[in-house]
Amino acid sequence: MPLSDFVLALKDNPYFGAGFGLVGVGTALALTRKGAQFGMVAFRRYFMITLEVTSRDKSYHWLLNWITHHARRAQHLSVETSYHQHESGKISTTFDFIPSPGNHFVWYGGKWLRVERNREKQMVDLNTGIPWETVTLTSLGTNRHIFQDILTEARELALKQQVGKTVMYTAVGSEWRLFGFPRRRRPLSSVVLDRGISEKIIQDVKDFIGNPKWYTDRGIPYRRGYLLYGPPGCGKSSFITALAGQLEYSICLMSLSDRSLTDDRLNYLLSVAPQQSIILLEDVDAAFVSRDLAKENPTMYQGMGRLTFSGLLNALDGVASTEARLVFMTTNHLDRLDPALIRPGRVDCKQFIGYCSHWQLCQMFQRFYPEQPVALAEQFADRALAVSDRISAAQVQGHFLLFKLEPLQAIENVQEISQ
């Protein structure tokens, strides 16, 4: 029967006209829709693979950067402003166009990927106020290695931007965030400590990093603590920065005098510190002083914030403290520190960084004026120590900067070095 005759027959049928036919057609359409939905779910389950990355994950920004490089044909964009610091110190601005929230398609590895970027307007990060986001990658097939390749490529792409630089982190809320711009790595030769001190610390650090099994076999917690103490301006922080550059490590700056810092937050931050990083606690005497001094002046031993002294000790060497950790502390006043804080296990290596010796002064002179004879360096050191025996490396550097191209003038005006 032709289709037109069939339709006319249905139209003249009294039962169909009474509504039974319409119910049947509606039921058929509903079953067809359900079947299509079930088929799509089954197809996605057995013939497609999906990866979801949330904005809380460390690889999220790496992935956004990767998407920016591959989804160049996307027409719906959002802007991300970044800065680049040149060796001269000049900062340039770069605008990167990132695919905006929605669906985008990327050709990668011989197949199309659907990139879905979702932004939750009702959910925000309480620390930053930034909306919660997720990126979902969908690909045909069941081979998950494509996602492993994408994340590896995204990581390498991000690391290329940090080659030759030291990344600084600071604690914000319960996470570590980039602090300023990645800095050009400072060479160790630019920090002149007294004879043998640099080599001693570097060798100790490298022995620690290269021998985790030695600690494991002997049941010793795999962590190492260092304390550099001495007068201000003598190179403690500069040496740590140069050491991080030498090791290709990042630096995590933490202030123990932060009023929002609690025991739990400190312990958590130490446990989630970025891999291959030095945790730097500067001026630890500013947060707590020795309990012996507190007896003389009880008001001195009140913590600057909500962090307790026992909380600090437990974070450094407690039952719940993390391993595979490298901690450096600095102080200008060793006598103000409680012995419990600097005992072995919390501080394994203490090193005094003092005023410039004769050898240091000669080395610094030769570094600033490499074409000058050693005799001039000796003459500068003799005259400088005749002026004062309490000259810091910062004072010497400042003096040389006044006479960048005039080494003889630097020697003749050496009396100005301690002013």
Side-chain angles (χ1 to χ4, degrees):
M1 179 184 294
L3 180 62
S4 59
D5 295 341
F6 179 74
V7 173
L8 290 174
L10 287 178
K11 181 179 179 181
D12 295 335
N13 190 301
Y15 295 102
F16 187 86
F20 293 106
L22 295 176
V23 171
V25 170
T27 302
L29 292 174
L31 290 175
T32 302
R33 188 184 309 111
K34 288 291 185 182
Q37 292 176 350
F38 177 80
M40 181 58 68
V41 170
F43 182 80
R44 289 175 61 91
R45 176 174 297 178
Y46 296 106
F47 299 100
M48 301 180 73
I49 186 169
T50 300
L51 173 70
E52 182 183 77
V53 182
T54 68
S55 56
R56 294 282 295 180
D57 191 85
K58 295 179 180 179
S59 64
Y60 181 77
H61 294 286
W62 299 348
L63 187 59
L64 282 186
N65 193 27
W66 181 89
I67 294 172
T68 301
H69 282 74
H70 286 79
R72 297 188 180 276
R73 295 185 179 180
Q75 293 180 309
H76 303 285
L77 308 169
S78 59
V79 66
E80 183 177 88
T81 306
S82 58
Y83 302 94
H84 175 70
Q85 188 173 29
H86 302 274
E87 292 186 2
S88 62
K90 181 181 178 181
I91 297 173
S92 59
T93 306
T94 303
F95 300 103
D96 294 320
F97 294 103
I98 300 175
S100 62
N103 293 323
H104 309 274
F105 292 91
V106 174
W107 180 259
Y108 179 80
K111 61 178 65 177
W112 285 102
L113 299 176
R114 190 182 75 165
V115 179
E116 183 180 4
R117 185 181 177 193
N118 292 319
R119 178 177 295 167
E120 296 289 342
K121 296 181 179 180
Q122 305 299 325
M123 297 178 61
V124 297
D125 189 327
L126 296 179
N127 295 320
T128 63
I130 299 176
W132 179 272
E133 288 191 3
T134 59
V135 169
T136 304
L137 303 179
T138 305
S139 171
L140 287 173
T142 58
N143 189 351
R144 65 179 61 185
H145 289 293
I146 187 172
F147 295 142
Q148 183 66 41
D149 295 340
I150 290 174
L151 293 176
T152 301
E153 185 177 316
R155 178 179 178 271
E156 292 176 353
L157 187 63
L159 292 178
K160 283 182 180 179
Q161 300 175 356
Q162 300 174 358
V163 172
K165 297 180 180 179
T166 300
V167 180
M168 313 290 285
Y169 293 93
T170 186
V172 177
S174 59
E175 63 182 7
W176 295 98
R177 293 209 188 142
L178 289 175
F179 180 69
F181 310 107
R183 306 180 181 182
R184 184 165 51 90
R185 287 176 185 164
R186 182 168 185 174
L188 269 170
S189 59
S190 67
V191 183
V192 181
L193 301 183
D194 205 358
R195 193 193 301 268
I197 292 179
S198 296
E199 293 78 7
K200 170 188 171 184
I201 299 175
I202 293 170
Q203 187 59 46
D204 190 271
V205 172
K206 289 184 176 180
D207 287 344
F208 167 75
I209 295 174
N211 293 285
K213 189 175 183 300
W214 187 91
Y215 287 80
T216 304
D217 292 344
R218 290 158 178 78
I220 301 174
Y222 184 54
R223 49 179 174 260
R224 195 77 173 160
Y226 298 84
L227 174 67
L228 304 184
Y229 65 96
C234 291
K236 297 183 291 295
S237 299
S238 298
F239 173 75
I240 296 171
T241 303
L243 175 63
Q246 175 74 12
L247 299 173
E248 298 184 1
Y249 271 38
S250 58
I251 298 178
C252 296
L253 298 169
M254 178 177 289
S255 174
L256 297 180
S257 58
D258 182 359
R259 293 184 180 275
S260 64
L261 188 62
T262 63
D263 296 348
D264 291 338
R265 182 175 162 229
L266 174 62
N267 217 345
Y268 179 77
L269 285 170
L270 293 181
S271 66
V272 298
Q275 294 182 351
Q276 293 187 334
S277 63
I278 292 175
I279 298 172
L280 177 56
L281 308 178
E282 289 194 299
D283 300 323
V284 290
D285 57 282
F288 296 101
V289 297
S290 170
R291 284 171 285 192
D292 295 332
L293 294 176
K295 295 178 182 179
E296 302 174 6
N297 188 354
T299 60
M300 291 180 62
Y301 197 65
Q302 296 176 356
M304 297 296 293
R306 293 183 290 171
L307 177 67
T308 65
F309 187 66
S310 60
L312 173 61
L313 299 183
N314 289 329
L316 293 176
D317 186 32
V319 175
S321 60
T322 55
E323 296 194 5
R325 193 176 65 200
L326 197 60
V327 178
F328 271 81
M329 294 185 282
T330 67
T331 181
N332 297 331
H333 307 282
L334 181 64
D335 56 325
R336 295 183 183 178
L337 298 182
D338 194 290
L341 176 62
I342 57 177
R343 70 158 175 79
R346 293 173 182 140
V347 172
D348 304 291
C349 178
K350 294 188 283 287
Q351 181 60 56
F352 175 71
I353 309 294
Y355 293 114
C356 290
S357 65
H358 188 277
W359 182 85
Q360 278 179 273
L361 292 171
C362 290
Q363 293 297 313
M364 293 185 70
F365 186 92
Q366 289 179 294
R367 173 164 179 77
F368 272 84
Y369 311 108
E371 298 179 355
Q372 300 302 316
V374 178
L376 278 184
E378 296 280 349
Q379 184 180 353
F380 170 77
D382 292 337
R383 290 194 179 187
L385 291 177
V387 173
S388 174
D389 60 352
R390 298 169 64 86
I391 300 175
S392 67
Q395 289 175 308
V396 177
Q397 179 174 294
H399 181 72
F400 287 154
L401 289 176
L402 291 175
F403 306 97
K404 292 189 288 291
L405 304 176
E406 301 172 327
L408 295 179
Q409 291 294 324
I411 297 174
E412 292 178 5
N413 296 277
V414 72
Q415 68 277 359
E416 300 177 4
I417 199 168
S418 60
Q419 294 180 0

